[in-house]
């Protein structure tokens, strides 16, 4: 099984800050990596697929990078609506999620 | 507009079998590359993928629960059904139906989810 590990588990940042979340895979997933945002009580929403492709309608302040085993999700200028939990997911072999990163606004 | 909606019991007893139905619109499960799956999330915990069925009836199951799962599709009804046997309180979770409209995009649409509680 491919394990996905995210860091940090929680982060608190101010509006306008640049925020980075890291996701590491236990073995290479090439670029088969997606990022999701989940608000409390809601279904997750796809933000990024194939490591760096922005889903239609997602603000351009979100970006993804990486390949192989190390990936990052960056929010270039944190907005109040960006609070929530972010999950990475590999989909080279079945589908596995990271444990999530909770983003709080200071 | 793509929508998915889960339906099924909200409460099941331990050892019982859970049957969930995903009814979708806005796409066809006959289209090459499309896959519909199920993901669950225990309260306060992370997401866990369970099963997926492709347009060509190819099926994938999570190794951790494979023995307990069956996924089927009814293309004419735009439905996908998941059955999970031997339910246990640890299976209490919100169950989501998801679709990947191509093989490259991950899960680009999700249902609202349905909370299933396992309790005597």
């Amino acid at each position: 099984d491919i394990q996905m590990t995210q860091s940090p588990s929680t982060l608190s940042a101010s509006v306008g800050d640049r925020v980075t979340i890291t996701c590491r895979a236990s073995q290479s997933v090439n670029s088969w990596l997606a990022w999701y945002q989940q608000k409390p009580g809601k279904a997750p929403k796809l933000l990024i697929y194939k490591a760096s492709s922005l889903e239609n309608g997602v603000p351009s302040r979100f970006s993804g990078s990486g390949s192989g085993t190390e990936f990052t999700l960056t929010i270039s200028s944190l907005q109040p609506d960006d609070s929530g939990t972010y999950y990475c997911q590999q989909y080279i072999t079945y589908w596995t999620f990271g444990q999530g990163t909770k983003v709080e606004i200071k | 507009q793509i929508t998915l909606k889960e339906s099924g019991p909200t409460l099941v007893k331990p050892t019982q079998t859970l049957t969930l139905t995903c009814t979708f619109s806005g796409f066809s499960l006959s289209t090459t590359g499309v896959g519909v799956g199920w993901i669950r999330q225990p309260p306060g915990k992370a997401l866990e993928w369970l099963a997926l069925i492709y347009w060509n009836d190819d099926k994938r199951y999570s190794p951790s629960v494979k023995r307990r799962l069956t996924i089927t599709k009814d293309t004419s009804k735009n439905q996908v059904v998941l059955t999970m046997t031997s339910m246990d309180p640890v299976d209490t979770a919100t169950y989501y139906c998801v679709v990947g409209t191509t093989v490259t995009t991950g899960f680009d649409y999700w249902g609202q989810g349905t909370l299933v509680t396992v309790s005597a």
Side-chain angles (χ1 to χ4, degrees):
Chain A
D1 292 12
I2 299 177
Q3 309 300 320
M4 308 301 292
T5 303
Q6 291 181 229
S7 60
S9 296
T10 307
L11 73 86
S12 182
S14 300
V15 172
D17 283 354
R18 183 180 182 88
V19 167
T20 298
I21 299 170
T22 298
C23 177
R24 290 186 173 86
S26 59
Q27 63 191 76
S28 176
V29 299
N30 293 337
S31 293
W32 299 110
L33 192 285
W35 291 95
Y36 299 84
Q37 176 196 59
Q38 186 177 31
K39 301 277 192 175
K42 300 294 186 182
K45 171 188 170 184
L46 178 66
L47 300 175
I48 303 282
Y49 62 94
K50 276 207 80 179
S52 60
S53 295
L54 194 67
E55 173 70 348
N56 288 340
V58 174
S60 58
R61 63 180 180 273
F62 291 93
S63 63
S65 64
S67 65
T69 62
E70 196 143 333
F71 302 86
T72 58
L73 174 70
T74 300
I75 308 173
S76 60
S77 178
L78 191 67
Q79 300 300 303
D81 189 49
D82 299 338
S83 63
T85 301
Y86 292 80
Y87 293 93
C88 64
Q89 176 210 42
Q90 66 82 18
Y91 53 108
I92 192 171
T93 302
Y94 298 133
W95 295 264
T96 314
F97 292 89
Q99 82 279 15
T101 295
K102 187 174 183 179
V103 174
E104 299 173 339
I105 310 295
K106 283 183 185 174
Chain B
Q1 180 189 5
I2 289 177
T3 64
L4 306 100
K5 188 167 185 180
E6 307 87 353
S7 59
T10 58
L11 179 66
V12 297
K13 291 181 167 44
T15 75
Q16 286 186 337
T17 294
L18 171 68
T19 299
L20 293 173
T21 300
C22 174
T23 303
F24 56 84
S25 63
F27 67 94
S28 172
L29 198 37
S30 299
T31 301
T32 298
V34 175
V36 174
W38 290 90
I39 289 167
R40 69 178 176 180
Q41 185 173 38
K45 296 189 177 181
L47 301 161
E48 178 187 17
W49 168 73
L50 298 175
L52 185 132
I53 189 164
Y54 286 108
W55 79 99
N56 58 2
D57 209 41
D58 193 12
K59 300 167 186 177
R60 298 284 185 265
Y61 296 102
S62 169
S64 64
V65 286
K66 180 177 182 177
R67 290 183 294 107
R68 301 169 54 204
L69 296 178
T70 303
I71 190 168
T72 59
K73 65 181 176 72
D74 186 331
T75 307
S76 65
K77 292 184 178 179
N78 282 351
Q79 290 183 332
V80 169
V81 175
L82 180 76
T83 60
M84 179 180 284
T85 62
S86 305
M87 293 294 285
D88 182 272
V90 299
D91 297 313
T92 294
T94 296
Y95 287 75
Y96 294 102
C97 178
V98 297
V99 62
T101 55
T102 76
V103 294
T104 61
T105 54
F107 298 129
D108 41 359
Y109 295 90
W110 294 60
Q112 64 188 24
T114 185
L115 176 62
V116 178
T117 302
V118 184
S119 174

